[in-house]
């Protein structure tokens, strides 16, 4: 099971007709939460949050790490997705925490378009977390930039719902 959380304005109301009425939540924030939730499969994660949610959290209270900056269909601005990994095993949580400085360096280099610096940093992350899909995913992004299929720092477009 994967959970996706986004923070934003929503509308709540009853939808339906005489024979069937359902209480529902509508709005762009709900749609983005659904897209964030669907990316759990991509990362093998259990709980993902949007940058809007991450910005409102007391981040020192949670184990949070950046996963990817993406463009979501029908949105104008990129969204950064974060994993909350408090429920991971003690060993995995410690490994993710110890790898965080390498991820920070790798993402900073990738965002700046410095693929020559980003690639070795993501390779170190892959060595520190061999079962983790995040570093190999970004190594593939570095390769795509090298082949000219992506621009440096470009967001990945998420098409699935």
């Amino acid at each position: 099971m994967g959970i996706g959380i986004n923070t934003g304005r929503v509308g709540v109301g009853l939808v339906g007709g005489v024979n069937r009425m359902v209480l529902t939540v509508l709005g762009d924030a709900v749609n983005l939460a659904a897209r964030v939730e669907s990316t759990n499969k991509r990362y093998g994660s259990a709980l993902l949050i949007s940058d809007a949610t991450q910005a409102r959290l007391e981040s020192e209270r949670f184990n949070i790490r950046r996963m990817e900056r993406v463009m979501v269909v029908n949105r104008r601005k990129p969204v950064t997705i974060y994993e909350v990994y408090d429920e991971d095993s003690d060993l995995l949580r410690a490994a993710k925490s110890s790898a965080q400085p390498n991820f920070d360096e790798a993402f900073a280099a990738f965002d700046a378009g410095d693929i020559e610096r980003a690639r070795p940093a993501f390779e170190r992350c892959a060595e520190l977390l061999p079962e983790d899909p995040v570093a190999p995913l970004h190594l593939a992004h570095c390769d795509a930039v090298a082949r000219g299929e992506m621009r440096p720092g470009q967001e990945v477009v998420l098409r699935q719902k």
Side-chain angles (χ1 to χ4, degrees), residues 93-110:
R93 202 169 47 249
K96 287 180 179 180
S97 292
S98 69
Q100 193 57 52
N102 291 294
F103 273 109
D104 291 343
E105 176 188 346
F107 281 125
F110 186 80

Side-chain angles (χ1 to χ4, degrees), residues 15-156:
V15 177
V18 174
N19 295 328
R20 182 168 186 257
M21 296 205 58
V22 177
L23 181 65
T24 192
V25 182
L26 303 165
D28 184 56
V30 176
N31 294 336
L32 182 54
R35 298 221 187 236
V36 169
E37 181 274 327
S38 71
T39 60
N40 276 291
K41 295 175 198 124
R42 177 178 176 91
Y43 309 122
S45 55
L47 174 57
L48 296 174
I49 62 174
S50 69
D51 47 10
T53 301
Q54 188 269 345
R56 300 187 87 178
L57 291 176
E58 295 176 26
S59 57
E60 64 277 351
R61 292 187 59 202
F62 301 97
N63 291 299
I64 299 173
R65 68 181 183 141
R66 176 179 163 178
M67 302 300 274
E68 193 169 21
R69 191 177 63 226
V70 297
M71 284 301 297
V72 178
V73 175
N74 296 326
R75 292 187 64 91
R76 293 186 183 131
K77 290 182 173 179
V79 176
T80 303
I81 297 175
Y82 295 86
E83 177 188 28
V84 180
Y85 59 95
D86 287 332
E87 294 302 313
D88 286 352
S89 69
D90 291 340
L91 190 62
L92 182 55
R93 202 169 47 249
K96 287 180 179 180
S97 292
S98 69
Q100 193 57 52
N102 291 294
F103 273 109
D104 291 343
E105 176 188 346
F107 281 125
F110 186 80
D111 291 347
D114 188 351
I115 302 308
E116 269 98 56
R117 206 175 94 228
R119 178 171 250 302
F122 282 125
E123 287 171 348
R124 284 192 301 278
C125 295
E127 290 169 9
L128 291 168
L129 294 167
E131 302 297 318
D132 188 54
V134 178
L137 181 70
H138 288 288
L139 285 167
H141 294 167
C142 289
D143 292 342
V145 170
R147 289 189 305 268
E149 297 168 2
M150 270 179 89
R151 293 182 324 276
Q154 177 182 340
E155 299 84 16
V156 175

